[in-house]
Amino acid sequence: MSSIGTYEDWTGNVVGEADVRSLDPGAVRALRAKYALRFPEQADEVNDWDAAVFLSKAGVLKRGKITVAAMILLGKSSERVLPDSVCIRWRSLDVDGAVTDSRTFKGPMLLSAVQASSAVRNWSVETGGKVQRTVSAYRTATLEEAILNAVAHQDYALGGTIDVIERDKESVTVRSGGSFGSQPPESFALGRASPHPSRNRFLREAMSKSGITMGHGSGIRGMYLSQAYRHFPMPSYYIDDSCVSVTIPGVRFGLLPRMMDSRELSLEDAIDLDRVCSGRFVPERRMRGLIERGLVDTAGGVPCPIAGVPEPRRITDREAVLELLRSGPVTRSEVAELLRSRTARPMTTEQLSVKATNLLQSLRREGRLVKSAGSTKSASYELSDGSRD
């Protein structure tokens, strides 16, 4: 650790004794694959680049030198550059909270995140509603995103261990050291906030630039959308001055899944109803909207969601996409996930991607939406000014 220096952002420090040989070849290959997905126009040439050239383009080097960020994401554990506490620890708990299994993943966090999410026991869940579907209890990509968000934002001065806690047939919690900031997680889910954290800037920018994470709060939004698409309760956050944890429910319970089965809900309505179901505060204006739309009853002065009321009409895929856009910018993959949740017949990922592309292009030609960032597969879209009313 003595050669890492005293740079204000620890993750941007140059590790003097390290070079490309200090990095795990498997992790570098995985990073190349993510970079190719992030920049499909360069996919054919990514594997031909020299390692140093590629790593510079991916943003993990500084002036051609290995950084702490590179060691966190790609470094071999045998190099002994980082503290042993920089790792991911998975634990499985039974219904009484006793530990039944555990595993610690050391080495490159890019691979450890995949290993930890794969350790979680997944199973199939039947949804209700007009179109019954079989879905996974957890979306693996959502678990990976939650873990990688912790890698990017945690306070390494507090140790660097990320805990993945699986409660049998119930939920998965990802917990790390640090603090969240002044804006609530729901504001990122609804596209109403932009992250301004000061911690780990070099690491965060490298992860976003290389395609490891989505950046700009999109990872949080993706977690909420994934739960909503599959008619599951929303993620829940616990935040204090030294810890941030997010719990992703793996079972459909309570009134919210029943309501999502019986009618179309916007993401904002789903989040607000989840707050009502769990006894949390909902601002007066938004509560009034839930009451006016017949989603909440306040008999006796106690707000209560109304379940079991049939949806008056089933909106079209086009209308559903526009409704999703009203809650903030979306990517093509998010639109494809929405379409997956609405289709009555099985469709391949490629078919869903083509359908999502056609819908977005049609709405763009009509002037209903504009491209707000990115290009091709990585682009995000938002409503045009004339379509926001």
Side-chain angles (χ1 to χ4, degrees), residues 359-381:
L359 260 174
L360 289 169
Q361 288 178 345
S362 175
L363 291 169
R364 192 179 178 193
R365 284 194 297 268
E366 294 171 14
R368 303 297 300 276
L369 58 81
V370 295
K371 186 183 293 186
S372 58
S375 60
T376 59
K377 291 184 179 180
S378 62
S380 60
Y381 302 85

Short mmCIF file of all heavy atoms in Angstrom, two decimals, residues 359-381:
data_model
loop_
_atom_site.label_atom_id
_atom_site.label_comp_id
_atom_site.label_asym_id
_atom_site.label_seq_id
_atom_site.Cartn_x
_atom_site.Cartn_y
_atom_site.Cartn_z
N LEU A 359 -40.67 0.33 -32.39
CA LEU A 359 -41.55 1.24 -31.66
C LEU A 359 -40.88 2.59 -31.43
O LEU A 359 -41.47 3.66 -31.63
CB LEU A 359 -41.95 0.62 -30.33
CG LEU A 359 -43.33 -0.05 -30.25
CD1 LEU A 359 -43.49 -0.74 -28.90
CD2 LEU A 359 -44.43 0.96 -30.45
N LEU A 360 -39.63 2.55 -31.00
CA LEU A 360 -38.90 3.79 -30.73
C LEU A 360 -38.69 4.60 -32.00
O LEU A 360 -38.84 5.83 -32.00
CB LEU A 360 -37.56 3.47 -30.07
CG LEU A 360 -37.62 2.97 -28.62
CD1 LEU A 360 -36.26 2.42 -28.17
CD2 LEU A 360 -38.07 4.09 -27.68
N GLN A 361 -38.35 3.92 -33.09
CA GLN A 361 -38.16 4.63 -34.35
C GLN A 361 -39.45 5.25 -34.84
O GLN A 361 -39.47 6.38 -35.37
CB GLN A 361 -37.60 3.67 -35.41
CG GLN A 361 -36.14 3.29 -35.17
CD GLN A 361 -35.62 2.30 -36.19
OE1 GLN A 361 -36.40 1.68 -36.94
NE2 GLN A 361 -34.31 2.14 -36.25
N SER A 362 -40.58 4.54 -34.68
CA SER A 362 -41.88 5.07 -35.09
C SER A 362 -42.23 6.31 -34.29
O SER A 362 -42.65 7.34 -34.86
CB SER A 362 -42.95 3.99 -34.90
OG SER A 362 -44.24 4.52 -35.18
N LEU A 363 -42.05 6.26 -32.97
CA LEU A 363 -42.35 7.41 -32.12
C LEU A 363 -41.41 8.58 -32.40
O LEU A 363 -41.80 9.75 -32.34
CB LEU A 363 -42.26 7.01 -30.65
CG LEU A 363 -43.34 6.05 -30.15
CD1 LEU A 363 -43.00 5.52 -28.77
CD2 LEU A 363 -44.70 6.74 -30.12
N ARG A 364 -40.18 8.25 -32.74
CA ARG A 364 -39.21 9.31 -33.06
C ARG A 364 -39.57 10.00 -34.37
O ARG A 364 -39.50 11.24 -34.48
CB ARG A 364 -37.81 8.71 -33.13
CG ARG A 364 -36.70 9.75 -33.16
CD ARG A 364 -35.35 9.08 -33.20
NE ARG A 364 -34.28 10.06 -33.29
CZ ARG A 364 -33.02 9.77 -33.59
NH1 ARG A 364 -32.68 8.51 -33.81
NH2 ARG A 364 -32.10 10.70 -33.66
N ARG A 365 -39.99 9.22 -35.39
CA ARG A 365 -40.40 9.82 -36.67
C ARG A 365 -41.61 10.73 -36.51
O ARG A 365 -41.75 11.72 -37.20
CB ARG A 365 -40.70 8.72 -37.70
CG ARG A 365 -39.46 8.06 -38.28
CD ARG A 365 -39.80 7.25 -39.51
NE ARG A 365 -40.69 6.14 -39.19
CZ ARG A 365 -40.27 4.92 -38.89
NH1 ARG A 365 -38.98 4.65 -38.87
NH2 ARG A 365 -41.14 3.96 -38.61
N GLU A 366 -42.48 10.37 -35.57
CA GLU A 366 -43.68 11.17 -35.32
C GLU A 366 -43.40 12.40 -34.47
O GLU A 366 -44.29 13.21 -34.21
CB GLU A 366 -44.73 10.32 -34.61
CG GLU A 366 -45.27 9.18 -35.47
CD GLU A 366 -46.14 8.24 -34.66
OE1 GLU A 366 -46.52 8.62 -33.53
OE2 GLU A 366 -46.43 7.13 -35.14
N GLY A 367 -42.15 12.52 -33.99
CA GLY A 367 -41.80 13.67 -33.17
C GLY A 367 -42.23 13.54 -31.73
O GLY A 367 -42.22 14.52 -30.99
N ARG A 368 -42.60 12.31 -31.29
CA ARG A 368 -43.05 12.12 -29.92
C ARG A 368 -41.87 11.99 -28.94
O ARG A 368 -42.05 12.21 -27.74
CB ARG A 368 -43.93 10.86 -29.80
CG ARG A 368 -45.15 10.84 -30.71
CD ARG A 368 -46.12 11.97 -30.38
NE ARG A 368 -46.61 11.91 -29.02
CZ ARG A 368 -47.65 11.16 -28.63
NH1 ARG A 368 -48.30 10.41 -29.51
NH2 ARG A 368 -48.06 11.19 -27.38
N LEU A 369 -40.71 11.57 -29.42
CA LEU A 369 -39.56 11.43 -28.54
C LEU A 369 -38.30 11.85 -29.28
O LEU A 369 -38.27 11.96 -30.50
CB LEU A 369 -39.43 10.01 -27.99
CG LEU A 369 -39.31 8.83 -28.97
CD1 LEU A 369 -37.89 8.67 -29.48
CD2 LEU A 369 -39.75 7.55 -28.29
N VAL A 370 -37.23 12.07 -28.51
CA VAL A 370 -35.93 12.45 -29.07
C VAL A 370 -34.86 11.60 -28.40
O VAL A 370 -35.04 11.08 -27.30
CB VAL A 370 -35.62 13.95 -28.85
CG1 VAL A 370 -36.60 14.82 -29.61
CG2 VAL A 370 -35.65 14.29 -27.35
N LYS A 371 -33.74 11.46 -29.10
CA LYS A 371 -32.60 10.75 -28.52
C LYS A 371 -31.88 11.72 -27.61
O LYS A 371 -31.48 12.81 -28.01
CB LYS A 371 -31.69 10.26 -29.62
CG LYS A 371 -30.54 9.37 -29.13
CD LYS A 371 -29.63 8.96 -30.26
CE LYS A 371 -30.31 8.04 -31.25
NZ LYS A 371 -29.36 7.54 -32.27
N SER A 372 -31.72 11.34 -26.33
CA SER A 372 -31.14 12.26 -25.35
C SER A 372 -29.66 12.02 -25.09
O SER A 372 -28.95 12.91 -24.66
CB SER A 372 -31.90 12.17 -24.01
OG SER A 372 -31.87 10.85 -23.51
N ALA A 373 -29.18 10.80 -25.35
CA ALA A 373 -27.77 10.50 -25.10
C ALA A 373 -27.40 9.20 -25.78
O ALA A 373 -28.26 8.37 -26.07
CB ALA A 373 -27.50 10.38 -23.59
N GLY A 374 -26.09 9.04 -26.06
CA GLY A 374 -25.59 7.78 -26.58
C GLY A 374 -25.88 7.58 -28.05
O GLY A 374 -26.39 8.47 -28.75
N SER A 375 -25.52 6.39 -28.52
CA SER A 375 -25.75 6.05 -29.93
C SER A 375 -26.06 4.58 -30.05
O SER A 375 -25.68 3.77 -29.21
CB SER A 375 -24.50 6.39 -30.76
OG SER A 375 -23.39 5.64 -30.29
N THR A 376 -26.78 4.22 -31.09
CA THR A 376 -27.18 2.84 -31.40
C THR A 376 -27.69 2.12 -30.16
O THR A 376 -28.61 2.60 -29.52
CB THR A 376 -26.02 2.06 -32.05
OG1 THR A 376 -24.90 2.05 -31.16
CG2 THR A 376 -25.57 2.71 -33.36
N LYS A 377 -27.07 0.99 -29.80
CA LYS A 377 -27.62 0.17 -28.72
C LYS A 377 -27.57 0.85 -27.36
O LYS A 377 -28.34 0.51 -26.47
CB LYS A 377 -26.85 -1.16 -28.63
CG LYS A 377 -27.09 -2.09 -29.80
CD LYS A 377 -26.36 -3.40 -29.59
CE LYS A 377 -26.62 -4.35 -30.76
NZ LYS A 377 -25.91 -5.64 -30.58
N SER A 378 -26.66 1.81 -27.18
CA SER A 378 -26.51 2.43 -25.87
C SER A 378 -27.32 3.72 -25.73
O SER A 378 -27.25 4.39 -24.71
CB SER A 378 -25.03 2.75 -25.60
OG SER A 378 -24.55 3.68 -26.56
N ALA A 379 -28.11 4.07 -26.75
CA ALA A 379 -28.84 5.34 -26.73
C ALA A 379 -29.94 5.34 -25.68
O ALA A 379 -30.50 4.30 -25.32
CB ALA A 379 -29.44 5.63 -28.10
N SER A 380 -30.26 6.52 -25.17
CA SER A 380 -31.43 6.69 -24.32
C SER A 380 -32.35 7.71 -24.98
O SER A 380 -31.90 8.58 -25.74
CB SER A 380 -31.03 7.16 -22.91
OG SER A 380 -30.34 8.39 -22.97
N TYR A 381 -33.65 7.59 -24.70
CA TYR A 381 -34.66 8.41 -25.35
C TYR A 381 -35.52 9.08 -24.30
O TYR A 381 -35.73 8.55 -23.21
CB TYR A 381 -35.54 7.55 -26.27
CG TYR A 381 -34.77 6.81 -27.34
CD1 TYR A 381 -34.17 5.59 -27.08
CD2 TYR A 381 -34.64 7.35 -28.62
CE1 TYR A 381 -33.45 4.91 -28.06
CE2 TYR A 381 -33.93 6.68 -29.62
CZ TYR A 381 -33.34 5.47 -29.33
OH TYR A 381 -32.63 4.81 -30.30
#
